[in-house]
Amino acid sequence: MNAASPPASGGFIADWRAAAADWTLTAAPGWLHVGKTFGAAILVLWLAMRLELPQPRTAMLTVFIVMQPHSGAVLAKSFYRIGGTVIGSLVALSLVALFPQEHALFLLAITCWLALCTAGATRNRNFRSYGFVLAGYTAALIGIPTIDAPSGIFIAAVTRLTEVSLGVIVSTVVSAVVFPQHVSNTIPRVVRARFTSFVEFISDSLSGRIDRAGIEASNLRFISDVINLEAARSMGVFENPEIRLRSGRLTQLNSDFMAVSTRLHALHQTLNRLRTRDHAEVRLVLDAFEPYLREIAQQLNPAETPVLQASDAGAAAHRLDLFRLALPARIAGTRVALTTQEIGALILLDFDTAAELFYRFVDELHAYTATYASLAETLPPVGIATRPYVPKTGLFATTVSGLRAALALFTVCFFWYATAWPSGGLATIFAGVVCAISATAINPFRTAYQMLLGAIIALPAGAVAAFILAPQADGFAMLAVVLAPFLIAALCLSTKPRWAGVGIGFLLFFGFGAVPDNPVVYNPVGFFNDLIAIIIATGLSAAAFGVILPPTSGWWLKRIVRDLRQQVVAACIGRREEVKHSFESASRDLMYQAGALIEDRPDAQQVALAWMFVTLEVGHAMIELRSETAALVAEAAFARQGDWPKPLWTLRDDMVRLFDKPTVANRRRALASTATAIAHVQQKAGDMALAPLHESASGVAPAVTEAKLPGMTDERVEPRLSTTAATVATALPVRQRQRLLRLVSYLHFMRSALLDPRSPLPGGGDFRETPIGEPHAS
């Protein structure tokens, strides 16, 4: 028994150390944030009182709004908070100057301004939204109290700006000096973790070891990774010159990641569709591709030299570059071997499409890896002009949010104006505050409702603190002791995502009611009147979010799905340069919004993901199609044949019609247009003689002639063309014919996406395969 004691003691100490390490990584950052926020709030309250500012609570409330766990976030929010406060002060001065004696017109103008700012906060789901929030309720906070004494508006504006600036300065100093937490330190870890998980995902998805549920979960995680990295980058530029130096590279990294993940999805879908077809020729194609799929993960992360950080990625990028350069000749040899086995035309077209997608995937994966490796460089980047990912809410949802806030504010203002309610001005101010703050959340009703709970709890808590405990306090130190338990408890709540709205609401409304003015005024009647007015205004705002087209209802998801479909429409008819930059980020941002709203509804989440997948597949292929077509039209040989891309423009119009109004008839029309376009481009390239795109009754399609694959060099095997096709093909330079063959690959991929039985497009998989050249119904 005695011999067993030391190991037991050692085990206890090891367990204690493990628990302490776990607490340090998980709970300690939250408690550090609570302590820093409370300390900054008490410090700024003391400074405001020493400087004899009339409302010290404004400076303290600024601390609660601005403080974040990371210093960069504090700086970013402070920048937009001061900017919003300045703009709101100027608007308040302008409105009072315009309507000094017209209360009704002044209130109408304030309501319109608050609604506009609420819409702006909804539209911009980043730190810029704080600027809109502050510009809105600052104008109300300054202008409404001076409605009966407009001569005091300038002093009110200057005082408000001084109090806010003091809160911002103290928050920034405390965040940067007291145990600073820099988001820039987490960026390398986030980038490394995403690269590692993406390499594993490539291996699992291309080998077929991951099911559809795993694919969906991974894609949702990748969307969050894109958004989180962009948020970290936008905060890091405020706190670290190294992040500012690499800001363009981080933006490019996000752009490259979105591009390569979209291409990986297209390749995975193509291979999966082949795997579902039980046919000997399909198995030959899959077996031919298997060596390439096994090699790709080894190029990225071999066992002897794994990629552990950005400096290691340079070797991986070099290996990928060598693999990419050798790939065309290897695939050409594989294709020649397949043609000797009399592979059918449709199966060979599947191989060509998969080969084109695989080559493009390797090319974009090399670009992503090279950008990751460039993060280790210290020289300023050259030639990087990628636009950053900017989250945007749709215009319709933005308009609804603004109108909802306008209706809530108009109701409060009308009641105040009609009844001469003594606390009506305060109710109007806080109705605007709640509408503006809630509008920045993904689920504004839940945020407004939780803020209402915080206001209800703040009423008795504030009364106890202000009229029972505070009168017993002697000096500022005792006042801090009185406020401490209430503020720390609310700060702890605000760090919990599930209850953050309750904590924020309590901090705002408790701070407004319980923190004394300068000089201190003992007014219980005014306190209860004001807090009841705040509760009524908050409840009305929450009701507006819950009743007037709430985002959690089905209409919002339908609108997001419609906006997803419109991304394909934009890919078809939008400006090509604009669409290239916006398509990837806009599609993922819409999916992020949908995922946040329906995270507890798996069925709805699957519907939204299905639409995102078909949007990415068809939209990305259409962008590539337009780019290749534009390059061909610029060639002199094609410029003389002005009507040759007419079937492609017909397909474009039919795709616009399908995704603008999805119906079975429009889907059939788009499929027929795709088959016609394939036949037209194949004939132009001389790739194969006109033959049906469907297999013969015997299950073997007509043999296809040999052709160069997209992306291949001149040292490849020359095609054996029919007499008619050879006349066309020999007149075309190799580069032009390669472009035409790439067009065939993109067209065939779009066709397979439209035929996918799991597609959310109406009609399921009940579609016959339209033969090449068959005209579609008008």
PDB file of all heavy atoms in Angstrom, residues 170-187:
ATOM      1  N   VAL A 170      -9.653  55.576 -22.284  1.00  0.00           N
ATOM      2  CA  VAL A 170      -9.379  54.688 -21.152  1.00  0.00           C
ATOM      3  C   VAL A 170      -9.470  53.226 -21.585  1.00  0.00           C
ATOM      4  O   VAL A 170      -8.619  52.395 -21.204  1.00  0.00           O
ATOM      5  CB  VAL A 170     -10.353  54.989 -19.999  1.00  0.00           C
ATOM      6  CG1 VAL A 170     -10.231  53.929 -18.904  1.00  0.00           C
ATOM      7  CG2 VAL A 170     -10.071  56.366 -19.425  1.00  0.00           C
ATOM      8  N   SER A 171     -10.473  52.870 -22.385  1.00  0.00           N
ATOM      9  CA  SER A 171     -10.605  51.481 -22.860  1.00  0.00           C
ATOM     10  C   SER A 171      -9.384  51.056 -23.656  1.00  0.00           C
ATOM     11  O   SER A 171      -8.856  49.949 -23.473  1.00  0.00           O
ATOM     12  CB  SER A 171     -11.864  51.344 -23.728  1.00  0.00           C
ATOM     13  OG  SER A 171     -13.023  51.691 -23.015  1.00  0.00           O
ATOM     14  N   THR A 172      -8.916  51.940 -24.523  1.00  0.00           N
ATOM     15  CA  THR A 172      -7.771  51.608 -25.362  1.00  0.00           C
ATOM     16  C   THR A 172      -6.514  51.416 -24.522  1.00  0.00           C
ATOM     17  O   THR A 172      -5.746  50.457 -24.723  1.00  0.00           O
ATOM     18  CB  THR A 172      -7.546  52.715 -26.403  1.00  0.00           C
ATOM     19  OG1 THR A 172      -8.741  52.888 -27.174  1.00  0.00           O
ATOM     20  CG2 THR A 172      -6.406  52.363 -27.329  1.00  0.00           C
ATOM     21  N   VAL A 173      -6.292  52.310 -23.568  1.00  0.00           N
ATOM     22  CA  VAL A 173      -5.088  52.219 -22.739  1.00  0.00           C
ATOM     23  C   VAL A 173      -5.111  50.955 -21.884  1.00  0.00           C
ATOM     24  O   VAL A 173      -4.110  50.220 -21.812  1.00  0.00           O
ATOM     25  CB  VAL A 173      -4.957  53.479 -21.858  1.00  0.00           C
ATOM     26  CG1 VAL A 173      -3.838  53.294 -20.836  1.00  0.00           C
ATOM     27  CG2 VAL A 173      -4.695  54.712 -22.716  1.00  0.00           C
ATOM     28  N   VAL A 174      -6.235  50.680 -21.231  1.00  0.00           N
ATOM     29  CA  VAL A 174      -6.321  49.491 -20.380  1.00  0.00           C
ATOM     30  C   VAL A 174      -6.145  48.222 -21.210  1.00  0.00           C
ATOM     31  O   VAL A 174      -5.444  47.284 -20.809  1.00  0.00           O
ATOM     32  CB  VAL A 174      -7.661  49.471 -19.631  1.00  0.00           C
ATOM     33  CG1 VAL A 174      -7.870  48.138 -18.927  1.00  0.00           C
ATOM     34  CG2 VAL A 174      -7.722  50.618 -18.624  1.00  0.00           C
ATOM     35  N   SER A 175      -6.780  48.176 -22.367  1.00  0.00           N
ATOM     36  CA  SER A 175      -6.680  46.983 -23.210  1.00  0.00           C
ATOM     37  C   SER A 175      -5.258  46.755 -23.710  1.00  0.00           C
ATOM     38  O   SER A 175      -4.807  45.614 -23.832  1.00  0.00           O
ATOM     39  CB  SER A 175      -7.633  47.106 -24.399  1.00  0.00           C
ATOM     40  OG  SER A 175      -7.537  45.998 -25.253  1.00  0.00           O
ATOM     41  N   ALA A 176      -4.531  47.847 -23.983  1.00  0.00           N
ATOM     42  CA  ALA A 176      -3.185  47.721 -24.555  1.00  0.00           C
ATOM     43  C   ALA A 176      -2.103  47.539 -23.504  1.00  0.00           C
ATOM     44  O   ALA A 176      -1.020  47.041 -23.828  1.00  0.00           O
ATOM     45  CB  ALA A 176      -2.873  48.956 -25.400  1.00  0.00           C
ATOM     46  N   VAL A 177      -2.372  47.935 -22.251  1.00  0.00           N
ATOM     47  CA  VAL A 177      -1.331  47.927 -21.217  1.00  0.00           C
ATOM     48  C   VAL A 177      -1.514  46.777 -20.232  1.00  0.00           C
ATOM     49  O   VAL A 177      -0.535  46.124 -19.840  1.00  0.00           O
ATOM     50  CB  VAL A 177      -1.317  49.282 -20.477  1.00  0.00           C
ATOM     51  CG1 VAL A 177      -0.359  49.241 -19.299  1.00  0.00           C
ATOM     52  CG2 VAL A 177      -0.934  50.410 -21.433  1.00  0.00           C
ATOM     53  N   VAL A 178      -2.736  46.504 -19.809  1.00  0.00           N
ATOM     54  CA  VAL A 178      -2.999  45.502 -18.769  1.00  0.00           C
ATOM     55  C   VAL A 178      -3.194  44.138 -19.413  1.00  0.00           C
ATOM     56  O   VAL A 178      -4.224  43.880 -20.049  1.00  0.00           O
ATOM     57  CB  VAL A 178      -4.232  45.893 -17.937  1.00  0.00           C
ATOM     58  CG1 VAL A 178      -4.469  44.860 -16.839  1.00  0.00           C
ATOM     59  CG2 VAL A 178      -4.064  47.286 -17.353  1.00  0.00           C
ATOM     60  N   PHE A 179      -2.203  43.260 -19.294  1.00  0.00           N
ATOM     61  CA  PHE A 179      -2.264  41.913 -19.874  1.00  0.00           C
ATOM     62  C   PHE A 179      -2.851  41.952 -21.294  1.00  0.00           C
ATOM     63  O   PHE A 179      -3.912  41.380 -21.557  1.00  0.00           O
ATOM     64  CB  PHE A 179      -3.091  40.978 -18.986  1.00  0.00           C
ATOM     65  CG  PHE A 179      -2.568  40.818 -17.600  1.00  0.00           C
ATOM     66  CD1 PHE A 179      -3.213  41.415 -16.513  1.00  0.00           C
ATOM     67  CD2 PHE A 179      -1.400  40.098 -17.361  1.00  0.00           C
ATOM     68  CE1 PHE A 179      -2.722  41.279 -15.230  1.00  0.00           C
ATOM     69  CE2 PHE A 179      -0.912  39.960 -16.080  1.00  0.00           C
ATOM     70  CZ  PHE A 179      -1.567  40.548 -15.004  1.00  0.00           C
ATOM     71  N   PRO A 180      -2.191  42.623 -22.206  1.00  0.00           N
ATOM     72  CA  PRO A 180      -2.762  42.773 -23.553  1.00  0.00           C
ATOM     73  C   PRO A 180      -2.919  41.434 -24.262  1.00  0.00           C
ATOM     74  O   PRO A 180      -2.056  40.553 -24.157  1.00  0.00           O
ATOM     75  CB  PRO A 180      -1.735  43.663 -24.264  1.00  0.00           C
ATOM     76  CG  PRO A 180      -0.461  43.450 -23.531  1.00  0.00           C
ATOM     77  CD  PRO A 180      -0.845  43.220 -22.096  1.00  0.00           C
ATOM     78  N   GLN A 181      -4.023  41.283 -24.947  1.00  0.00           N
ATOM     79  CA  GLN A 181      -4.317  40.103 -25.763  1.00  0.00           C
ATOM     80  C   GLN A 181      -4.400  40.561 -27.216  1.00  0.00           C
ATOM     81  O   GLN A 181      -5.320  41.285 -27.582  1.00  0.00           O
ATOM     82  CB  GLN A 181      -5.644  39.463 -25.316  1.00  0.00           C
ATOM     83  CG  GLN A 181      -5.686  39.065 -23.851  1.00  0.00           C
ATOM     84  CD  GLN A 181      -4.738  37.926 -23.545  1.00  0.00           C
ATOM     85  OE1 GLN A 181      -4.749  36.893 -24.211  1.00  0.00           O
ATOM     86  NE2 GLN A 181      -3.898  38.116 -22.531  1.00  0.00           N
ATOM     87  N   HIS A 182      -3.442  40.141 -28.017  1.00  0.00           N
ATOM     88  CA  HIS A 182      -3.372  40.608 -29.393  1.00  0.00           C
ATOM     89  C   HIS A 182      -3.944  39.550 -30.333  1.00  0.00           C
ATOM     90  O   HIS A 182      -3.495  38.402 -30.336  1.00  0.00           O
ATOM     91  CB  HIS A 182      -1.933  40.927 -29.785  1.00  0.00           C
ATOM     92  CG  HIS A 182      -1.325  42.045 -28.989  1.00  0.00           C
ATOM     93  ND1 HIS A 182      -1.859  43.315 -28.970  1.00  0.00           N
ATOM     94  CD2 HIS A 182      -0.234  42.083 -28.180  1.00  0.00           C
ATOM     95  CE1 HIS A 182      -1.129  44.095 -28.194  1.00  0.00           C
ATOM     96  NE2 HIS A 182      -0.139  43.373 -27.694  1.00  0.00           N
ATOM     97  N   VAL A 183      -4.893  39.964 -31.163  1.00  0.00           N
ATOM     98  CA  VAL A 183      -5.471  39.041 -32.136  1.00  0.00           C
ATOM     99  C   VAL A 183      -4.433  38.647 -33.176  1.00  0.00           C
ATOM    100  O   VAL A 183      -4.521  37.564 -33.783  1.00  0.00           O
ATOM    101  CB  VAL A 183      -6.708  39.684 -32.796  1.00  0.00           C
ATOM    102  CG1 VAL A 183      -6.316  40.829 -33.715  1.00  0.00           C
ATOM    103  CG2 VAL A 183      -7.519  38.655 -33.570  1.00  0.00           C
ATOM    104  N   SER A 184      -3.424  39.501 -33.379  1.00  0.00           N
ATOM    105  CA  SER A 184      -2.382  39.178 -34.354  1.00  0.00           C
ATOM    106  C   SER A 184      -1.613  37.921 -33.967  1.00  0.00           C
ATOM    107  O   SER A 184      -1.058  37.236 -34.834  1.00  0.00           O
ATOM    108  CB  SER A 184      -1.418  40.353 -34.496  1.00  0.00           C
ATOM    109  OG  SER A 184      -0.888  40.735 -33.239  1.00  0.00           O
ATOM    110  N   ASN A 185      -1.581  37.599 -32.669  1.00  0.00           N
ATOM    111  CA  ASN A 185      -0.893  36.385 -32.240  1.00  0.00           C
ATOM    112  C   ASN A 185      -1.670  35.129 -32.609  1.00  0.00           C
ATOM    113  O   ASN A 185      -1.085  34.039 -32.682  1.00  0.00           O
ATOM    114  CB  ASN A 185      -0.661  36.411 -30.720  1.00  0.00           C
ATOM    115  CG  ASN A 185       0.263  37.544 -30.300  1.00  0.00           C
ATOM    116  OD1 ASN A 185       1.101  37.989 -31.076  1.00  0.00           O
ATOM    117  ND2 ASN A 185       0.107  38.019 -29.076  1.00  0.00           N
ATOM    118  N   THR A 186      -2.969  35.256 -32.795  1.00  0.00           N
ATOM    119  CA  THR A 186      -3.793  34.088 -33.122  1.00  0.00           C
ATOM    120  C   THR A 186      -3.873  33.836 -34.626  1.00  0.00           C
ATOM    121  O   THR A 186      -4.234  32.730 -35.038  1.00  0.00           O
ATOM    122  CB  THR A 186      -5.212  34.269 -32.570  1.00  0.00           C
ATOM    123  OG1 THR A 186      -5.871  35.334 -33.283  1.00  0.00           O
ATOM    124  CG2 THR A 186      -5.184  34.605 -31.086  1.00  0.00           C
ATOM    125  N   ILE A 187      -3.558  34.840 -35.443  1.00  0.00           N
ATOM    126  CA  ILE A 187      -3.726  34.682 -36.892  1.00  0.00           C
ATOM    127  C   ILE A 187      -2.847  33.562 -37.455  1.00  0.00           C
ATOM    128  O   ILE A 187      -3.349  32.719 -38.228  1.00  0.00           O
ATOM    129  CB  ILE A 187      -3.470  36.023 -37.609  1.00  0.00           C
ATOM    130  CG1 ILE A 187      -4.609  36.997 -37.304  1.00  0.00           C
ATOM    131  CG2 ILE A 187      -3.340  35.821 -39.106  1.00  0.00           C
ATOM    132  CD1 ILE A 187      -4.445  38.373 -37.924  1.00  0.00           C
TER     133      ILE A 187
END
